[in-house]
Each structure stands twice: as C-alpha cells, then as structure tokens.
Amino acid sequence: MRSPVCDMLGIEFPLFAFSHCRDVVAAVSRAGGFGVLGATGHSPDSIRRELKWIDDHVDGKPYGLDVLVPENMATAGEKNVTYNSLKSRVPDAHRAFAAKLLESIGVSPASAEVEAPEDRPQPFDPETALRVLDAAFEHPIRMIANALGVPPPEMIEKGRAHGVPVAALVGAREHAIRQVSAGVDILVAQGTEAGGHCGEVSTMVLIPEVLKAIKPIRDVPVLAAGGIMNGRQMAACMAMCAAGVWTGSVWLATVESETSEIFRQRMIEASSRDAVRVRTRTGKPARQLRSAWTEAWERSPDSPGPLPMPLMTLVSEGALRQVERAAAAGNPKAREMVTYFVGQGVGLIDSVRSAGQVVQEFKTEFLEAVEHMNELLEA
C-alpha cells in the first residue's frame, strides 16, 4: 500500500497491533502488519528475553515497542520511588474496600498482597522505562511509542540516535499540537472508544480534528485508533486521511493473546456498552470490561473512590490477579468480577481466532470496502 508509514517502517499493510503478548506481535508482523509490544511492567532483562524471542519468530519482519511514561503522576519529580515505599501511602479505606470485595467472593485478602523485592520500582516508573528502551535498542526495533503525555526529551533523543521513529498517542487536538511541536514522528489519534487509557473524544471526530490542527505545523502521519475491529473501519479511517490504524482490543480475542479463557468468553458475551471508562484500576481514566469489581468501585455508596496514579495500581493489581485465579478454579462469583482493559469494539467480538487470521480478514474487508466506495463513484 502507498502509505507514508509503510515507507517509513518497511511494512506491507498499515495495520498496527498493540499487544502485551509477544506471540501476537510476531504473528501480525509476519502477516504483513506491524506488531507493537507493550513494555509496561518489564525490566531491561525481561524485555531482552521477549525481544530475543520475537527476533527468532518474526521472520525478519519489522516490529515496535510501546512504553508508558506518564507526564502526570502523584510521584512526579520524586527519585528512587519503589513499590514498597508506596504501600504506606495507600489509605486504609481503600485497602479495606478491596479486601471486602475479595471476601465477598470467597477469596482471602491476604492472598492479594504483592510481595515485591526491595528494589522493585513503582508502577509506571519513568526511569525504568528509559532503561527498558536502552535494552530494546539492542534489538532491531523499528518504532517506539509512548502514551499518557509527551515523550521525555531523552526518549526522542534516543530514537533519533538509533534512527527509530518515535510515535505518541493523543486523545485531543491540543495534545497533538504539543506532540508535533516536541518532535514526534508519528501520531496515534486514539478516540474514547479505545481500551485502556483514553480521552473523551470519539475517533470519528478526533481524526479530522487532529489532522487539521497539525497541518500548519508539520506533516506528520496520523494513525487512527479507538474501536477499530475490522477492515471496513480501517478503510473508513483511511478515507478520513489517516495513514493507517492502531488496534488493541481485537487481538485480545485471539488464541495467542495473554488473556484468560474466561476473559475471552466474557468478551464474546459483552456488548459495546460493557466497556466502561473508569479510574479505579490505574488512577487515570481507562476503558475496561464492566464487572462486579468496576461496578462496586463506581457505584457502591461505601466506595472510597479512585486514588491517583500510581497508587491505585497497588490496590487493584494483586486483587485482580487473585480474582482471575479464583475464576479459573471454577469460582462463579469470581468470574463475574474478572475485568481487563478493552474498548467499545468488544461488542463486535463473536469468536476467538488466530492473529494471522485476523490480519487476513482485515485485508479482505479493507479491499471490499474500497471496492464498494469505487462502485459508488462509478454509479
């Protein structure tokens, strides 16, 4: 395809697949798209292992890496913040509410306590993210991406030094202007339909708004994101002059993904309205599957409400891990509490397929949509 990102990254089809699963990343890149590995939670050593595996299974095709360096956190400006040092900052009310939810499904709150090494960094630690990037540059990555703010200058400098384009996710026109002014090479305009951290503007509105806003500044390719689950939607976004699409939720329902069988089944059962945007998982607005966990935090009269990032992760991380384990062991109440990041496109999921099959279906549906538009012009 003749798209600026195809030329920039050496890919056949501008379908970007964000996933925390290396199998998905490799499968999509092999099929002609561009797999992007989510590196949040990784250490330099673990990212080396993951990327070595991808190198061995991607058949020389290009792939990228996504890190999360938030501009605004409760610990902004603090140095050497560890996971354990943050524990004392979590209010008793939040610990007690999480414990109450676990007890209601027969899970011991003590099992949810995370025993972290003394040197484990805080969640979303910016210094760790930059060390992970250094380790990643030991491998042939072709793009790096950042979310939740303008990439730190060091990240853009590292990309320039290694000849690797830097992408950034945005959810509003003013964010796009800041990113382009900071020097990013690719924008991912992500609408509120998206899973995970997202803004409030829909994809259909955001894409033309971002393109119009950045035109006077600099020519930067814009990828569309948010609720994109098939090739017809991809064609629609590229008709709005997007250079390609960035996708995430669609890969959660693949056989290769990191999600559990229970969560995949819950996605199939869900409607688009079941993807709710709440702050009670990470501390920032993030879209995820509605469950007894999200409903309790959002609607219960005794809910203490969300904590700021990164403190909320200390409350939710261990508890939701135990919920998954209890559900896998056959606990029906735990099954109703299982949740994970997913976008409104979940309502379009009706089966579990392989990642390679999803890529091929995107290509087929994209071509069908383009042919349909051409027929309209010929009529």
Side-chain angles (χ1 to χ4, degrees):
M1 288 184 62
R2 295 174 60 186
S3 167
V5 292
C6 289
D7 296 336
M8 184 184 294
L9 302 173
I11 58 176
E12 302 168 13
F13 190 59
L15 171 62
F16 291 68
F18 169 81
S19 176
H20 290 286
C21 178
R22 63 190 188 183
D23 301 76
V24 171
V25 171
V28 171
S29 287
R30 284 198 308 269
F34 191 87
V36 182
L37 182 69
T40 302
H42 277 286
S43 67
D45 286 342
S46 67
I47 206 66
R48 287 186 181 99
R49 291 192 296 270
E50 293 293 282
L51 298 188
K52 174 63 167 61
W53 188 94
I54 292 174
D55 293 341
D56 292 341
H57 291 82
V58 80
D59 295 345
K61 300 289 187 177
Y63 66 90
L65 191 79
D66 178 279
V67 297
L68 203 163
V69 185
E71 276 192 285
N72 300 303
M73 288 204 304
T75 55
E78 298 182 34
K79 296 292 185 181
N80 303 316
V81 181
T82 66
Y83 191 99
N84 289 328
S85 71
L86 284 181
K87 285 184 176 181
S88 62
R89 304 191 198 182
V90 176
D92 290 341
H94 291 77
R95 295 183 186 277
F97 190 72
K100 176 184 173 182
L101 293 181
L102 292 178
E103 288 170 347
S104 73
I105 61 171
V107 173
S108 167
S111 68
E113 288 294 322
V114 176
E115 297 297 330
E118 284 302 316
D119 61 348
R120 176 179 171 178
Q122 65 174 323
F124 314 111
D125 181 60
E127 295 175 5
T128 300
L130 292 175
R131 290 197 296 271
V132 165
L133 275 181
D134 287 335
F137 284 126
E138 299 170 11
H139 300 263
I141 57 172
R142 294 292 299 274
M143 184 190 76
I144 54 176
N146 182 61
L148 293 183
V150 175
E154 301 96 316
M155 182 174 174
I156 295 177
E157 291 166 7
K158 289 175 189 292
R160 295 281 186 276
H162 290 86
V164 174
V166 179
L169 279 72
V170 300
R173 65 179 298 277
E174 58 269 24
H175 300 162
I177 292 170
R178 288 184 62 217
Q179 298 280 14
V180 170
S181 299
V184 302
D185 304 294
I186 299 171
L187 285 178
V188 180
Q190 180 173 270
T192 190
E193 300 95 324
H197 297 108
C198 59
E200 300 174 285
V201 183
S202 75
T203 305
M204 181 65 75
V205 172
L206 184 63
I207 303 310
E209 193 173 32
V210 164
L211 287 165
K212 182 179 179 180
I214 67 171
K215 187 175 181 179
I217 307 172
R218 188 159 54 89
D219 186 18
V220 176
V222 175
L223 303 178
I228 300 166
M229 307 293 284
N230 58 52
R232 294 185 299 278
Q233 292 171 295
M234 179 177 180
C237 290
M238 295 188 72
M240 292 192 292
C241 297
V245 295
W246 174 286
T247 57
S249 298
V250 67
W251 312 105
L252 299 176
T254 60
V255 294
E256 297 94 340
S257 89
E258 75 276 16
T259 56
S260 66
E261 290 293 335
I262 289 172
F263 183 75
R264 291 176 199 168
Q265 186 58 41
R266 293 207 65 212
M267 283 194 292
I268 292 172
E269 297 166 359
S271 73
S272 296
R273 290 191 180 95
D274 290 319
V276 294
R277 183 175 178 267
V278 297
R279 294 176 55 213
T280 47
R281 184 172 186 129
T282 69
K284 288 186 179 291
R287 197 172 296 283
Q288 57 203 275
L289 190 67
R290 186 196 311 274
S291 77
W293 174 271
T294 63
E295 289 294 280
W297 279 98
E298 292 297 308
R299 298 178 183 274
S300 175
D302 58 341
S303 168
L307 293 168
M309 180 181 275
L311 297 176
M312 195 64 212
T313 299
L314 274 70
V315 177
S316 63
E317 177 188 21
L320 289 173
R321 186 178 299 121
Q322 292 307 313
V323 166
E324 281 274 6
R325 289 175 179 168
N331 182 328
K333 290 184 178 180
R335 186 184 189 279
E336 296 306 309
M337 200 169 277
V338 168
T339 182
Y340 192 60
F341 302 113
V342 72
Q344 290 179 326
V346 68
L348 292 169
I349 294 174
D350 58 11
S351 62
V352 176
R353 298 159 292 166
S354 72
Q357 182 181 354
V358 172
V359 175
Q360 297 310 317
E361 290 176 358
F362 257 87
K363 291 179 178 179
T364 299
E365 292 170 358
F366 178 88
L367 289 173
E368 290 174 350
V370 171
E371 289 171 358
H372 171 69
M373 293 301 294
N374 287 335
E375 289 171 3
L376 294 177
L377 292 174
E378 292 169 2

